[in-house]
Amino acid sequence: MNQTQQSHCLDPDDFGILLKILNEKGYLTVGPTRRDGAILYDVLESMYDLPIGWTDEQEAGIYRLKRRDDNALFGYNVGPHSWKKYLFPSKTKLWSATKKGAGFEIDGEADAPPTYAFIGVRACELHAIQVQDKVFMGGIFQDPIYTGRRQDCLIVAVNCTQAAKTCFCTSMQTGPKVNDGYDLVLTEIIDEARHYFVIESGSDVGADILKELTTSPAEQDDFQAAATHIENAKKQMGRTVDMTDIKDVLYHNYDNKRWEELEKRCLACGNCTMACPTCFCSNVEDVTDLTGEHAERWRTWDSCFTMDFSNIHGGSIRASIGSRYRQWLMHKLATWIDQFGSSGCVGCGRCIAWCPVGIDLTEEVKAISDSEEGDRNGTHQDN
Ligand code: SF4
Ligand code: SF4
């Protein structure tokens, strides 16, 4: 085992010390909290801000919190928030300017973002961050806002030991076990005898932090218990998607009648794109105050479900809701692969739980794959 990979056992009562150490090192610790009937990401001032003893129940169009019969710190799955809330905020001021004489002068630089420590990042979410890394930092142009927030960000990941009915990370090969990209990873073990964490480091920074914690060495039984708990999550996986030839299947089904059928159900509300941890579209808006003395430019999340999104001179090129749903699903599972070399879906299930009418991506893919409508000789068009 090298310096980077260290494995220990941590008492849950000492989890707060980890937060304290991170705060003392200058990190802003953010992670799961219980608020407004959901598990939302917010600042963690102490371990008691975590949803201790709570779990979530999820189904298509359904999300509920429920008490557990134990005091698990991470006994739930993902909520409506994702880490893009911090790395790619929903609203960012790009610049502001104040009138000076006949013209405008750009105001000073914006404050630097905090150095985040993300607490409780799940395997699918880590993959989603890696997908957005490619989008914002992997090309010729690097997004300075995303890069500035991401580069020193510390990741404390948590292996899933349970899965929601909306989860399908095993199909997407993105979970439930965290494999890389973390500084520290924890597996919460609760059995008849004990409640504790197996904690492992994945970077030198993580290994140094681990040395500061009061831990005991992890033994073979602890690794076995962790593996069994993660296996439980695999067994509970609520949904599956057959990803075999998915790109070709979708490309050959541009004219499938399922898109028209979706037209009758989809509200084009855009909830799925807002909740999705990989969706990255944005708009830029200019605003001025009533005096005309002050102007600002903002970047805001956008959604391919709006009419304006595909508005080119003369109107929207995706006038029907069915064509907008098709654009979204095709991008996630087909064109994304051509564009970025991986799927744009990590199987977190948020778009299923948070769709107000319960439209389920896995069900739509299955319906299209099973359908006889597909024109196997069809060609790929972009509208
Ligand atoms: S498309 Fe849905 S399941 Fe896939 S990553 Fe986005 S929100 Fe999660
Ligand atoms: S699929 Fe559901 S969440 Fe997405 S735009 Fe349609 S109604 Fe809204």
Side-chain angles (χ1 to χ4, degrees):
M1 193 174 286
N2 60 29
Q3 141 80 10
T4 296
Q5 295 166 309
Q6 304 286 328
S7 303
H8 295 262
C9 293
L10 177 75
D11 191 296
D13 289 339
D14 290 338
F15 191 85
I17 297 171
L18 171 61
L19 299 181
K20 193 164 171 285
I21 291 170
L22 294 173
N23 291 151
E24 283 169 3
K25 288 183 182 296
Y27 291 103
L28 180 65
T29 45
V30 290
T33 62
R34 184 169 63 89
R35 181 158 54 82
D36 301 335
I39 288 169
L40 304 178
Y41 295 154
D42 210 334
V43 173
L44 298 177
E45 286 177 0
S46 84
M47 65 178 272
Y48 300 104
D49 289 333
L50 290 167
I52 299 174
W54 288 86
T55 193
D56 50 9
E57 286 183 339
Q58 305 194 42
E59 246 306 344
I62 295 171
Y63 179 96
R64 297 274 181 278
L65 291 187
K66 213 178 93 179
R67 286 296 305 194
R68 293 173 60 96
D69 55 11
D70 57 32
N71 282 327
L73 274 64
F74 296 96
Y76 37 80
N77 299 99
V78 293
H81 281 177
S82 70
W83 303 101
K84 77 177 181 183
K85 168 182 170 173
Y86 298 105
L87 298 175
F88 166 51
S90 59
K91 213 165 178 265
T92 311
K93 187 158 73 175
L94 298 178
W95 51 258
S96 64
T98 305
K99 196 165 183 189
K100 286 269 159 63
F104 276 84
E105 200 168 273
I106 301 288
D107 298 334
E109 295 277 312
D111 293 341
T115 306
Y116 290 111
F118 291 167
I119 310 296
V121 180
R122 306 303 177 129
C124 65
E125 300 191 292
L126 204 35
H127 277 269
I129 291 172
Q130 288 161 355
V131 165
Q132 288 211 328
D133 286 350
K134 275 193 208 167
V135 174
F136 290 111
M137 306 196 304
I140 307 169
F141 302 106
Q142 304 202 335
D143 183 89
I145 299 165
Y146 185 94
T147 308
R149 289 163 172 265
R150 175 72 171 107
Q151 58 197 0
D152 297 321
C153 178
L154 184 111
I155 306 260
V156 179
V158 170
N159 286 315
C160 285
T161 53
Q162 61 169 57
K165 288 187 179 156
T166 43
C167 291
F168 56 102
C169 64
T170 43
S171 297
M172 308 310 289
Q173 299 185 346
T174 56
K177 186 176 188 315
V178 173
N179 288 320
D180 57 21
Y182 59 88
D183 295 288
L184 289 167
V185 61
L186 297 107
T187 310
E188 185 165 29
I189 296 170
I190 303 180
D191 57 29
E192 282 155 20
R194 284 178 74 190
H195 177 190
Y196 68 105
F197 289 104
V198 171
I199 180 166
E200 297 164 76
S201 54
S203 70
D204 289 346
V205 176
D208 288 342
I209 293 165
L210 194 44
K211 277 187 208 147
E212 295 184 45
L213 287 165
T214 305
T215 56
S216 56
E219 308 290 345
Q220 195 50 39
D221 283 357
D222 302 314
F223 294 124
Q224 186 53 49
T228 305
H229 276 60
I230 297 167
E231 200 56 35
N232 283 345
K234 276 192 195 166
K235 287 183 193 148
Q236 289 173 11
M237 206 60 48
R239 280 164 162 78
T240 55
V241 173
D242 182 0
M243 289 294 286
T244 318
D245 297 330
I246 187 74
K247 195 174 85 165
D248 291 335
V249 169
L250 289 174
Y251 279 167
H252 288 136
N253 278 281
Y254 261 82
D255 296 322
N256 197 295
K257 288 210 166 18
R258 189 76 182 185
W259 309 120
E260 288 170 34
E261 197 269 325
L262 271 159
E263 174 105 16
K264 297 179 200 139
R265 293 186 287 141
C266 176
L267 309 173
C269 65
N271 264 17
C272 46
T273 52
M274 300 297 122
C276 179
T278 65
C279 277
F280 60 86
C281 288
S282 63
N283 195 7
V284 172
E285 293 170 355
D286 288 342
V287 290
T288 56
D289 64 2
L290 288 175
T291 65
E293 296 287 320
H294 189 74
E296 292 178 354
R297 176 163 290 181
W298 287 82
R299 180 169 83 176
T300 55
W301 285 356
D302 203 352
S303 170
C304 52
F305 281 90
T306 68
M307 278 286 271
D308 281 352
F309 186 85
S310 64
N311 191 55
I312 302 179
H313 61 88
S316 173
I317 59 165
R318 293 188 204 107
S320 73
I321 291 179
S323 68
R324 280 177 252 153
Y325 187 90
R326 180 180 61 187
Q327 151 67 24
W328 178 73
L329 190 70
M330 285 274 186
H331 192 205
K332 285 283 156 207
L333 295 174
T335 52
W336 204 298
I337 296 171
D338 287 337
Q339 200 177 0
F340 300 110
S342 68
S343 163
C345 173
V346 296
C348 72
R350 286 181 176 90
C351 58
I352 303 170
W354 294 94
C355 173
V357 290
I359 293 174
D360 175 350
L361 169 151
T362 65
E363 194 182 305
E364 298 313 316
V365 169
K366 182 161 184 352
I368 288 164
S369 301
D370 291 351
S371 162
E372 295 299 313
E373 296 287 334
D375 169 11
R376 291 271 156 186
N377 299 313
T379 50
H380 168 204
Q381 308 154 26
D382 192 29
N383 59 43

